[in-house]
Amino acid sequence: MASPVPAVCDVVNEARQLYEQHFGSSPEVVVCAPGRVNLIGEHTDYNDGFVLPMALALVTVVVGSRDPSQAVTVLTANKDVKEPRRVDFYLPNDGSPLSPGQPGWANYVKGVVQHYRASPLPGFKAVIASTVPLGGGLSSSASLEVAVYTFLQQLQPDDGDMVAKAVACQQAEHSHAGVPCGIMDQLVSVLGREAHALLIDCRSMEATLVPLSDPSVVILITNSNVKHSLTGSEYPTRRKQCMEAAAILGKRSLRDATLKDLEDARSRMDQVTYSRARHVIQEIQRTVQGAEVLKRGLYEEFGKLMVESHNSLRDLYEVSCRELDELVSAAMEVKGVFGSRMTGGGFGGCTVTLLQAHVVDRAILHIQERYSGTPTFYVTAPSEGARVLSLS
């Protein structure tokens, strides 16, 4: 059956206990930031397009306190981390950059410190605990970045600009994790709202709330438990192909291109570039259409768009894999399922399925029977974005 999503208070307690064991005192600050699932709009964010994610109840928690020196010590409670689970470094006095290094998970922390929008930052001691699965396509990285930024805001407040906060976290991932990600993950982790998905315009950074609170409908996330890494060549290659297509079309980005533009220029680009551009142009249209039908409660129409999105990601963008295709096919065989698709960067990770609440158990059982691997399931609803929590 579905895995229960751990209560945030339980994650906080885990982090507090580890903090007290290592530092011999109680933390002064506790914050959290959620992971996300994208309902539709994949690989459109770095093309200035639209996305339709929602924040999850799966979160990254940071507990910690100031340090009177410029020293920083951070521990992770994540037992999946194979490398050292503690990192120590000093905040540079002269404005010199913090260099990435080992352990790899700490580069996200260093990147956020580097791009934080207020100074001077004090030293600090912190513990990180998370329920967002690593490499599952639910944005564990953005959840970590936004949680660290929210923690730093309690030590040295910035101007409170929430979009600029998301951009700083995106820059951290670019500079210190080496992933040229779009802005979607960080924005929804910052701006997420309970009972709503967010239609995000990745060019203007505007976010429009899309109600999603019908109790008769639920979101099922299925983790294939196939790990992926976006630092490989595939993600940067897709991004480069999109830029090449936009250049051939004479557009600032594929956001500005139409299918007619693409067909008119087909003879000037190879088949792969054409396929990548076709996915993005159509996916942007699907996402805008999807937000409209979701607002009106037209779940069957939204489900069809989800399946179209998956097929396009499989055939045109070529970022799916056998396991994800299996999960989507199995879900779509269950009566009461509206739609299913891969979500996240691809090559593993999760699928997202929209279905009637009363068929969840049946759907999970059917997927387990049909899937060749060992999946993990989460039944979820849209949750709040980054926030400060009470220590009491």
Side-chain angles (χ1 to χ4, degrees):
M1 294 296 101
S3 298
V5 174
V8 174
C9 61
D10 292 339
V11 190
V12 170
N13 285 338
E14 178 191 14
R16 281 185 74 161
Q17 287 172 13
L18 186 57
Y19 185 95
E20 288 164 2
Q21 284 170 17
H22 276 78
F23 299 114
S25 60
S26 295
E28 298 165 0
V29 173
V30 56
V31 304
C32 74
R36 64 94 189 97
V37 67
N38 192 23
L39 300 177
I40 197 165
E42 220 64 73
H43 290 279
T44 53
D45 57 347
Y46 53 82
N47 287 290
D48 286 350
F50 288 89
V51 291
L52 188 64
M54 67 182 215
L56 295 172
L58 299 162
V59 297
T60 298
V61 164
V62 179
V63 304
S65 308
R66 291 170 170 269
D67 189 286
S69 71
Q70 290 294 97
V72 172
T73 300
V74 185
L75 290 90
T76 176
N78 194 324
K79 295 176 178 60
D80 288 342
V81 172
K82 302 291 190 290
E83 49 205 357
R85 285 162 56 189
R86 170 176 170 153
V87 67
D88 296 90
F89 59 92
Y90 282 91
L91 299 174
N93 288 317
D94 56 2
S96 57
L98 275 172
S99 299
Q102 293 299 322
W105 62 266
N107 290 330
Y108 295 96
V109 178
K110 291 177 180 177
V112 173
V113 169
Q114 180 74 54
H115 294 283
Y116 188 69
R117 301 177 56 256
S119 61
L121 270 176
F124 58 90
K125 299 174 289 194
V127 168
I128 297 163
S130 184
T131 55
V132 189
L134 294 179
L138 301 179
S139 207
S140 56
S141 56
S143 174
L144 171 57
E145 291 150 11
V146 173
V148 170
Y149 196 104
T150 306
F151 172 73
L152 297 180
Q153 285 178 302
Q154 311 318 303
L155 306 185
Q156 174 64 278
D158 66 355
D159 60 9
D161 184 323
M162 295 173 84
V163 172
K165 171 180 177 175
V167 171
C169 291
Q170 178 197 28
Q171 289 170 338
E173 189 147 345
H174 288 189
S175 64
H176 283 65
V179 179
C181 62
I183 191 63
M184 168 179 66
D185 298 352
Q186 292 82 5
L187 265 179
V188 71
S189 189
V190 172
L191 298 174
R193 285 289 171 269
E194 192 174 350
H196 292 82
L198 265 69
L199 178 66
I200 298 173
D201 180 336
C202 295
R203 173 172 284 171
S204 69
M205 311 280 188
E206 289 178 271
T208 305
L209 292 173
V210 178
L212 185 55
S213 57
D214 185 338
S216 71
V217 173
V218 296
I219 303 292
L220 174 67
I221 296 170
T222 306
N223 191 343
S224 68
N225 289 310
V226 176
K227 301 291 185 187
H228 70 94
S229 172
L230 291 185
T231 51
S233 63
E234 297 290 354
Y235 185 96
T237 298
R238 295 300 184 284
R239 191 163 184 156
K240 186 167 175 279
Q241 289 163 339
C242 291
M243 291 171 64
E244 288 169 356
I248 291 168
L249 296 171
K251 304 294 184 183
R252 176 178 157 193
S253 71
L254 290 177
R255 160 75 176 271
D256 300 315
T258 64
L259 280 179
K260 184 179 185 308
D261 294 332
L262 184 62
E263 294 305 324
D264 289 347
R266 187 166 189 173
S267 62
R268 292 187 281 123
M269 60 179 74
D270 60 48
Q271 182 60 40
V272 171
T273 306
Y274 168 83
S275 296
R276 304 296 187 253
R278 187 174 181 87
H279 164 74
V280 172
I281 293 167
Q282 290 182 309
E283 186 79 349
I284 290 171
Q285 293 172 349
R286 272 191 290 269
T287 305
V288 174
Q289 187 182 349
E292 281 305 311
V293 298
L294 203 56
K295 280 178 193 170
R296 291 156 57 197
L298 302 175
Y299 303 122
E300 286 190 11
E301 287 189 39
F302 189 81
K304 287 175 186 171
L305 293 169
M306 292 175 78
V307 174
E308 285 177 19
S309 171
H310 180 80
N311 293 344
S312 179
L313 287 158
R314 179 192 66 204
D315 300 335
L316 297 177
Y317 221 66
E318 296 183 277
V319 290
S320 188
C321 60
R322 177 184 58 79
E323 294 88 351
L324 293 174
D325 296 341
E326 271 184 24
L327 290 173
V328 169
S329 294
M332 293 309 299
E333 289 167 356
V334 179
K335 189 176 180 184
V337 168
F338 297 114
S340 186
R341 59 184 285 277
M342 60 156 278
T343 185
F347 309 107
C350 294
T351 62
V352 58
T353 303
L354 182 72
L355 70 168
Q356 294 174 354
H358 71 274
V359 302
V360 167
D361 289 346
R362 192 192 320 155
I364 289 173
L365 202 59
H366 184 76
I367 293 167
Q368 281 176 323
E369 288 172 353
R370 292 294 308 274
Y371 181 49
S372 57
T374 307
T376 308
F377 299 94
Y378 302 97
V379 177
T380 188
S383 300
E384 279 297 306
R387 55 205 185 269
V388 180
L389 302 171
S390 168
L391 274 165
S392 58

